[in-house]
C-alpha cells in the first residue's frame, strides 16, 4: 500500500532573479566554482555525512554532478554546464564562471531583459567572429609537424587539475604519455577520412605515478591462475585469433513462438555440446591459436581447446569487443556453424605481463589504432581525478585534430578579447546599433558588463592574493606574487604573462584589471615566430573554449529571460 | 471545470498548434461579458423574494438559452461575416506575380517570425524561424506539393528531428537525408550503387512459429535442423548481396547469426526501427517490406530501393545512421538538428517547431464556411417549378456555356482590361465544367441553384471565382471587389452553393446531401451558403483580426432584429477586443490600444487601407479555428449546471469531475 498524500498546489514565483535568496545561492555557487579554477585553484571535498566515498576534486564535471542543487535557476545553470562538459570535457569551469559573472553583471545594469539579451547576443557574435578570424591575436594554428604545441596543450590541461596531486616531474611524464597514447590512435595510412582509434585507460592503483605507461594493443586483465594455465605460449610469427560474440556455452538459441517437443530419449544438452565440440575441432584444424568470447565458453569446450594448446579467454564483456575487433582486424563471429576462414583475425604477439599486483595478457597488434594507457596513482581519489584529467586531455587532442587551432590560456584570451570588444564598441558602435532600437548608453553599459565578466574569469585564476593586471599593448593577463609593495617597478615584479608568450622586459604599460582604462586596440595577428620559439606556453582547446563561451552567454540569456518559475511541488 | 477548459485548449492546440493563450483570454472575456449581462437581467427580471435555489435554476435555464444562441451564432453568423466582410482584408502568402501558386518566401518568413515570437526565447526566435523557413524550402520538391510536405512533417516530426544537448543553439542546422536515432549494428562502408531493403521479421528461420509444434525425435534431427537454419540464413544473405543490397533496415532485433552473415557479405544492418520510422521511410521512398518467403526463390527481389549514401553521423559523440533517401514523393527528406545547452530548451524548440508545422498545415488547407441566411423573400415557393422548367428547357451544355460566358463578362466588368487574365479563367472553367454538371445532376433537390434569373447566374459564377482567382493570381484587390459584389447580391436570398473546386466529386456529393435535406425540411425559407476561404490567408499581427471582426460584428448586431442575436454578437465583439487590449498594454502614446482602435475603425469606415504598426503575419484559418473552439468550449461550460465530485479508487489519487446535464 502506498501512502496517500494530499496534492500540494504548484508554486509560481515572478521575477526569480530579483529575489535575495537566489542571488545569495548564485553567489555561493560562483564562489565554489571560482575558487576551484585554474592550476592554483583550491580543492573541494564532496562527501556525504552518512559515509560513503569522499570525492576530492576541482574538476567541473565531478563538482557539478555531485553538488546538490535545488533551485530551478541553478539547476538550469548546472545542467547546462554538465552538458557542455559531456560534449567537450574541457572548459567547464570557465563556462560556469563566465555564466555566473554575466548574470550578476547584467542584472546589475538594471536594463530590460529584451535589450540585455539582444545586445549580449550581438557581443557574442563579435567575439566568435573575431576568434574565428585570421587576424585573431589569441589563436595559434597548430603545426602538427611540431608536437611541442600539442604537448603544451596537454600540459596546460594536466596542470590545471591540481587534485591529481602531481609533482612537476610527474606532470611532464603524464603529459608525454597522454600525447603518445593519442598519437598511437592515429592510423598510419589514412585515406580521405581520418578515423581515430581508442585509448583504453587501465587502472592500477597503489603504484607510483611515474610507473604509468602506454602500450600499443590491449591489456586484458586476468587472474594469475588463469594466466598460468595459458602459459607457456608457443612462439610463432603471428597468432591466429577467433573472436566470438555469440555465446559458446551451449544454450539453445531462440526457438520461436511455437512449442518445441523433445522426445524423452533425446538430450539437447548433448546435442548442443556435440555442436560446440565440432566447432572446437574446426578451430583446431584451422590452426587457431587464441579463442576469445564475449560471453561464456562451455567448460568442456575450454578443456578441449586447452588440450589442443589453443588459448581460450571468455567473459570479455561488450565494452572491449569493439577495440578487440580493431586489434585483431576482424568483426566478431556470430555463428557456431562453419566459419569462413576470412573471419579469423590475427595479432602480432601475445605475452603475459605483470604490473604491480595485476596480471595481464597483452595483445600486440600488427597495425592498429588501439592502445592501452596504464595509469598509476597512489590513492583512489587522486586516481579518479587523474583519469578524468587524461580523458579530458585526450578529448581535447581529438578536438584539436578536427579544428587545428588552440587559444592562448592563462587568462590571456579573456583579457585580450575584452580589450578587443571595448575598443571595437568604442570606435564603431554603429555596427551594432544600426538595426536595433538601443541607445549608445545602453550599449556601453552592456559592453562594460560583458567585458568585466570576461576579465573577472581571468582574474579568478589568481587565488593567492596577488594583483591582477593587464598590459596596454597586447591585452594579456599578468599576475603578481602576493604582498608585493604597492609602488614598484612593474617589469621587475612581473615575469611572464598568463600564457607565457610575452615577458615583462618589453616596454609595456600595465593597468589593474579592476580599474577603468581607456579603450585601446590590442595587437592582433600573432607573429608566427613568437609562437614558434616559445615552448612553454599555456594553451586551451579552441573548440571547447569557443563553445563554452557561446553556451555561457546563451545560458545567461536564458536565465535572464525568465520571468516566472512555476514549480510542481508534488 | 478548469480541467475541462484545459482539455478543450489542449485539443485545440493539438489541431492547430497555435493560440492557447488567446483561447484563455478570449474565453475569460466572454464569460465576464456574459456575467454582466445576466446580472443586469436578473436585477430587472427576478424579484427579490424568489428563493435563491430557484434563482439558480432560472439562471441555468438562461445560460442554456445563451449557449444555444451561441451555437447558432457560430454556425451562421460567424461564417457569414468571415466570408462577406472579413475576407476582403485578407492577404495571402502566395506571391501574386505568377499564374501558379508560388509561396512567397518573405511572407512565410514574416509569418514564422510572428509565430516564434511568443514561443522561443528572444535571442533565438529569428534564428529558429530562419531555420524553419530554410527547412521548408529545402524539403519541398516542387511548388505544388507543399500540402503533402506539411502533412508528412507534422505526422513524423519526432522522426525528422534530432535534439542535441550541450552545444550552443546556433549550432543547430539542417542535414540533407534522413537521420535514424540509432547506430548501425554492422557497418560496412559502401559506395556506388547502394540498395536497401526493409524487413519486419527475423531473417533467421526459427524452430517453430506461433501456433505450431516442432517435434524433435533425435539428436541428429536437431543437428540437421540447426544446420538447415544456418544454411538458409546464409543463403538469404548471399541472395541479398547478389541483388546489390548494401543495407538492411529491420524493425526487429536480428539474431547474432544474421548480423554475422551480413558483415561477411558486406551488408550494413540497422535494427530495432520504430514503426513510425519504418512507415516514414516507406512513405518517402514508397518501398514495401521485403517478404522472406520470396527470398527462397531465385528470382529478383523487387522490394529494394536505391539510396544516395548511408553513413554514420556523429553528433556529440553519439552515433546516428544517416541515410540519403531518394524521394519518390514531393518531400525531399531533410532533418533538423536542434542544439541547445539544456534539454529543456531543446524540447521547447522542438515543440515550437512542431507547432509551427501544425499551424502551416492548417494554413494551407482551404477552410470551408457554411452558413445560412434567413430571408423574407417569397420567390422560394415558386422556385422549384422554375427550376424544373429551367432544367428541362436548358440542356446542360447550355448551362455550361452560360457558366463560361458569365465569368468572362463579369471579370471584364470588374477587372477592367485584364483580358489576358480572363483567358486563364476560361481555361480553368473548362476544367470546372465537368464536376459542375455532375453536381447538378446528382442533386435535383437543391433547386434554386440554377434558377434562371440572370442576376443569380452572374452571382453564382462570381462566387465561383474567388477560389480560382486566388489560385491563379492571388491578388487581394479583385478578390475584394468580387466579394463585395457578392454581398450586395446576397440579399436576393436564393440558395447559392458552390464548392471548393479542388474537392473530388465524391466529397461534393457528400457535402451537398445535408443541404438538400434541410432545404426540404425548412421549406426553403432559409438559404444556405457554402463558401471557402482559400488556402494561405493571412492577416498582419497585432489584433487585426480581432478588431476587424469586432467592427463587423457590431455592424451586424445593429442590423439584426432579434435581440438574442444582437446580444450574442455584442458579447463576442466586445470579448474579441480583450486580445488586442492585452497586446498593446505595454505600449504608450501613439501605439496605445485606444489610439490604434480608433485609427483602425476610422480606416474601416472610410474604407482606407489599414495601417499596421507591426510586421509579421498570422494565419486566418488558425484564428477562425480558435474562435470556433472557444465558442464550443463556452457552450459546453454553459450547459453544465452542476459539478459533482466523486471519489474514485484511492489508488488513482485524483477525483474526477462528472458532468451531468439537466
Amino acid at each position: 500500500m502506498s501512502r496517500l498524500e494530499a496534492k500540494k498546489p504548484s508554486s509560481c514565483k515572478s521575477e526569480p532573479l530579483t529575489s535575495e535568496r537566489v542571488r545569495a545561492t548564485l553567489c555561493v555557487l560562483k564562489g565554489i566554482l571560482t575558487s576551484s579554477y585554474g592550476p592554483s585553484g583550491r580543492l573541494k571535498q564532496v562527501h556525504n555525512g552518512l559515509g560513503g566515498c569522499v570525492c576530492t576534486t576541482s574538476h567541473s564535471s565531478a563538482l557539478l554532478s555531485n553538488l546538490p542543487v535545488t533551485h530551478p535557476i541553478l539547476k538550469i545553470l548546472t545542467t547546462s554546464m554538465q552538458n557542455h562538459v559531456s560534449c567537450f570535457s574541457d572548459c567547464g569551469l570557465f563556462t560556469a564562471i563566465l555564466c555566473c559573472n554575466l548574470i550578476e553583471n547584467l542584472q546589475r545594469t538594471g536594463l530590460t531583459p529584451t535589450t540585455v539579451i539582444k545586445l549580449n547576443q550581438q557581443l557574442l557574435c563579435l567575439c566568435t567572429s573575431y576568434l574565428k578570424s585570421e587576424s585573431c591575436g589569441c589563436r595559434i594554428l597548430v603545426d602538427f609537424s611540431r608536437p611541442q604545441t600539442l604537448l603544451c596543450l596537454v600540459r596546460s590541461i594536466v596542470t590545471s587539475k591540481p587534485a591529481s596531486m602531481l609533482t612537476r616531474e610527474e606532470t611532464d611524464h603524464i603529459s608525454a604519455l597522454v600525447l603518445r597514447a593519442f598519437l598511437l590512435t592515429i592510423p598510419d595510412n589514412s585515406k580521405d577520412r581520418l578515423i581515430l582509434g581508442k585509448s583504453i585507460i587501465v587502472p592500477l592503483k597503489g603504484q607510483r605515478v611515474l610507473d604509468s605507461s602506454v602500450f600499443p594493443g590491449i591489456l586484458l586483465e586476468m587472474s594469475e591462475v588463469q594466466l598460468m594455465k595459458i602459459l607457456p605460449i608457443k612462439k610463432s610469427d603471428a597468432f591466429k585469433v577467433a573472436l566470438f560474440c555469440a555465446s559458446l556455452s551451449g544454450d539453445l538459441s531462440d526457438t520461436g513462438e511455437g512449442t518445441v517437443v523433445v522426445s524423452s530419449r533425446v538430450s539437447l544438452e548433448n546435442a548442443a555440446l556435440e555442436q560446440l565440440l565440432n566447432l572446437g575441432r574446426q578451430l583446431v584444424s584451422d590452426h587457431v591459436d587464441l579463442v576469445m568470447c564475449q560471453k561464456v565458453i562451455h567448460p568442456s569446450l575450454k578443456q578441449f581447446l586447452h588440450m589442443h594448446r589453443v588459448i581460450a579467454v571468455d567473459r570479455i564483456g561488450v565494452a572491449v569487443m569493439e577495440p578487440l575487433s580493431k586489434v585483431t582486424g576482424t568483426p566478431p563471429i556470430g555463428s557456431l556453424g562453419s566459419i569462413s576462414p576470412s573471419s579469423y583475425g590475427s595479432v602480432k604477439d601475445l605475452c603475459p605481463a605483470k604490473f604491480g599486483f595485476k596480471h595481464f595478457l597483452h595483445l600486440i597488434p600488427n597495425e592498429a589504432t588501439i592502445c592501452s594507457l596504464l595509469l598509476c596513482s597512489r590513492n583512489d581519489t587522486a586516481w579518479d581525478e587523474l583519469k578524468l584529467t587524461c580523458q579530458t586531455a585526450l578529448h581535447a587532442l581529438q578536438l584539436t585534430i578536427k579544428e587545428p587551432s588552440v587559444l592562448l590560456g592563462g587568462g590571456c584570451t579573456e583579457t585580450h578579447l575584452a580589450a578587443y570588444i571595448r575598443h571595437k564598441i568604442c570606435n564603431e558602435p554603429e555596427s551594432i546599433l544600426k538595426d536595433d532600437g538601443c541607445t549608445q548608453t545602453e550599449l556601453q553599459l552592456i559592453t562594460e558588463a560583458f567585458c568585466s565578466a570576461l576579465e573577472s574569469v581571468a582574474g579568478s585564476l589568481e587565488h593567492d592574493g596577488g594583483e591582477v593586471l593587464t598590459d596596454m599593448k597586447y591585452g594579456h593577463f599578468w599576475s603578481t606574487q602576493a604582498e608585493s609593495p604597492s609602488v614598484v617597478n612593474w617589469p621587475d615584479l612581473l615575469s611572464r604573462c598568463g600564457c607565457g608568450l610575452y615577458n615583462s622586459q618589453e616596454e609595456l604599460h600595465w593597468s589593474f584589471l579592476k580599474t577603468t582604462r581607456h579603450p585601446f586596440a590590442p595587437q592582433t595577428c600573432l607573429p608566427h615566430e613568437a609562437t614558434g620559439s616559445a615552448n612553454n606556453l599555456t594553451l586551451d582547446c579552441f573548440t571547447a573554449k569557443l563553445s563554452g563561451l557561446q553556451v555561457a552567454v546563451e545560458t545567461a540569456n536564458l536565465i535572464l529571460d525568465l520571468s516566472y518559475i512555476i514549480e510542481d511541488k508534488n | 471545470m478548469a480541467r475541462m477548459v484545459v482539455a478543450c485548449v489542449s485539443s485545440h492546440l493539438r489541431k492547430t498548434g497555435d493560440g492557447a493563450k488567446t483561447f484563455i483570454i478570449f474565453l475569460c472575456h466572454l464569460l465576464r461579458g456574459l456575467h454582466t449581462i445576466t446580472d443586469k437581467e436578473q436585477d430587472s427580471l427576478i424579484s427579490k423574494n424568489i428563493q435563491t435555489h430557484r434563482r439558480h435554476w432560472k439562471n441555468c435555464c438562461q445560460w442554456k438559452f445563451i449557449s444555444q444562441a451561441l451555437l447558432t451564432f457560430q454556425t451562421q453568423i460567424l461564417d457569414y461575416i468571415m466570408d462577406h466582410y472579413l475576407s476582403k482584408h485578407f492577404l495571402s502568402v502566395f506571391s501574386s506575380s505568377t499564374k501558379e501558386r508560388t509561396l512567397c518566401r518573405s511572407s512565410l518568413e514574416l509569418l514564422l517570425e510572428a509565430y516564434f515570437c511568443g514561443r522561443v526565447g528572444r535571442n533565438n526566435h529569428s534564428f529558429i524561424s530562419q531555420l524553419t523557413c530554410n527547412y521548408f524550402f529545402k524539403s519541398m520538391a516542387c511548388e505544388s506539393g507543399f500540402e503533402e510536405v506539411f502533412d508528412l512533417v507534422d505526422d513524423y516530426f519526432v522522426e525528422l528531428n534530432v535534439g542535441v544537448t550541450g552545444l550552443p543553439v546556433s549550432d543547430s542546422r539542417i542535414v540533407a537525408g534522413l537521420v535514424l536515432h540509432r547506430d548501425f549494428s554492422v557497418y560496412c562502408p559502401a559506395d556506388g550503387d547502394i540498395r536497401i531493403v526493409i524487413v519486419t521479421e527475423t531473417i533467421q528461420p526459427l524452430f517453430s512459429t506461433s501456433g505450431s509444434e516442432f517435434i524433435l525425435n533425435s539428436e541428429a534431427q536437431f543437428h540437421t535442423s540447426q544446420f538447415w537454419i544456418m544454411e538458409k540464413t546464409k543463403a538469404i544473405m548471399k541472395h541479398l548481396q547478389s541483388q546489390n543490397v548494401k543495407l538492411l533496415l529491420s524493425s526487429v532485433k536480428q539474431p547474432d547469426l544474421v548480423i554475422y552473415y551480413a558483415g561477411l557479405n558486406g551488408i550494413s544492418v540497422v535494427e530495432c526501427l520504430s514503426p513510425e520510422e519504418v512507415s516514414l521511410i516507406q512513405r518517402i521512398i514508397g518501398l514495401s517490406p521485403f517478404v522472406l518467403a520470396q527470398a527462397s526463390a531465385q528470382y529478383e527481389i523487387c522490394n529494394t530501393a536505391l539510396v544516395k549514401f548511408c553513413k554514420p553521423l556523429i553528433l556529440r559523440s553519439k552515433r546516428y545512421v544517416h541515410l540519403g533517401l531518394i524521394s519518390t514523393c514531393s518531400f525531399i527528406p531533410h532533418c533538423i538538428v536542434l542544439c541547445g545547452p539544456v534539454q529543456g530548451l531543446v524540447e521547447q524548440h522542438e515543440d515550437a517547431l512542431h507547432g509551427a508545422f501544425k499551424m502551416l498545415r492548417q494554413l494551407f488547407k482551404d477552410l470551408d464556411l457554411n452558413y445560412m441566411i434567413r430571408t423574407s423573400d417569397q420567390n422560394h415557393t415558386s422556385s422549384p417549378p422554375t427550376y424544373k422548367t429551367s432544367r428541362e428547357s436548358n440542356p446542360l451544355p447550355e448551362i455550361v456555356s452560360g457558366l463560361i460566358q458569365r465569368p468572362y463578362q463579369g471579370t471584364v466588368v470588374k477587372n477592367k482590361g485584364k483580358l489576358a487574365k480572363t483567358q486563364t479563367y476560361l481555361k480553368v472553367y473548362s476544367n470546372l465544367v465537368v464536376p459542375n454538371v455532375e453536381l447538378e445532376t446528382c442533386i435535383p433537390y437543391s433547386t434554386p441553384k440554377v434558377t434562371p434569373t440572370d442576376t443569380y447566374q452572374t452571382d453564382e459564377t462570381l462566387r465561383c471565382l474567388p477560389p480560382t482567382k486566388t489560385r491563379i493570381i492571388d491578388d487581394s484587390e479583385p478578390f475584394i471587389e468580387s466579394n463585395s459584389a457578392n454581398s450586395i447580391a446576397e440579399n436576393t436570398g436564393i440558395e447559392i452553393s458552390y464548392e471548393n473546386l479542388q474537392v473530388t466529386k465524391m466529397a461534393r456529393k457528400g457535402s451537398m446531401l445535408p443541404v438538400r435535406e434541410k432545404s426540404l425540411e425548412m421549406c426553403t425559407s432559409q438559404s444556405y451558403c457554402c463558401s471557402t476561404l482559400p488556402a494561405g490567408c493571412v492577416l498582419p499581427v497585432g489584433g487585426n483580426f480581432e478588431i476587424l471582426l469586432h467592427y463587423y460584428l457590431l455592424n451586424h448586431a445593429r442590423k439584426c432584429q432579434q435581440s438574442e442575436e444582437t446580444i450574442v454578437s455584442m458579447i463576442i465583439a466586445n470579448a474579441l477586443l480583450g486580445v488586442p487590449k492585452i497586446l498593446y498594454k505595454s505600449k504608450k502614446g501613439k501605439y496605445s490600444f485606444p489610439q490604434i482602435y480608433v485609427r483602425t475603425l476610422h480606416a474601416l469606415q472610410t474604407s482606407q487601407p489599414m495601417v499596421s504598426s507591426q510586421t509579421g503575419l498570422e494565419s486566418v484559418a488558425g484564428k477562425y479555428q480558435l474562435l470556433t473552439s472557444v465558442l464550443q468550449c463556452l457552450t459546453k461550460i454553459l450547459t453544465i449546471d452542476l459539478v459533482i465530485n466523486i471519489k474514485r479508487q484511492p489508488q488513482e489519487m485524483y477525483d474526477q469531475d462528472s458532468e451531468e446535464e439537466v
Side-chain angles (χ1 to χ4, degrees), chain A residues 34 56 143 154 193 200 264 274 311 382 399 416 448 539 547:
Chain A
T34 317
T56 308
D143 178 6
V154 176
R193 238 183 108 174
I200 302 167
S264 56
E274 186 57 33
I311 306 164
L399 293 172
H416 179 86
E448 185 51 42
L539 299 172
S547 175

Side-chain angles (χ1 to χ4, degrees), chain A residues 278-291:
Chain A
N278 279 337
L279 176 73
R281 268 175 223 122
Q282 198 202 336
L283 290 174
V284 170
S285 69
D286 284 345
H287 303 291
V288 171
D289 301 299
L290 173 63
V291 175

Side-chain angles (χ1 to χ4, degrees), chain A residues 86-87 261 275 343 554 561, chain B residues 122 169 214 216 226 260 316:
Chain A
S86 65
C87 274
V261 179
Q275 196 189 10
S343 313
E554 278 185 10
D561 206 5
Chain B
R122 288 185 195 100
V169 177
F214 179 75
L216 269 179
Q226 278 210 324
Y260 172 60
R316 199 214 146 171

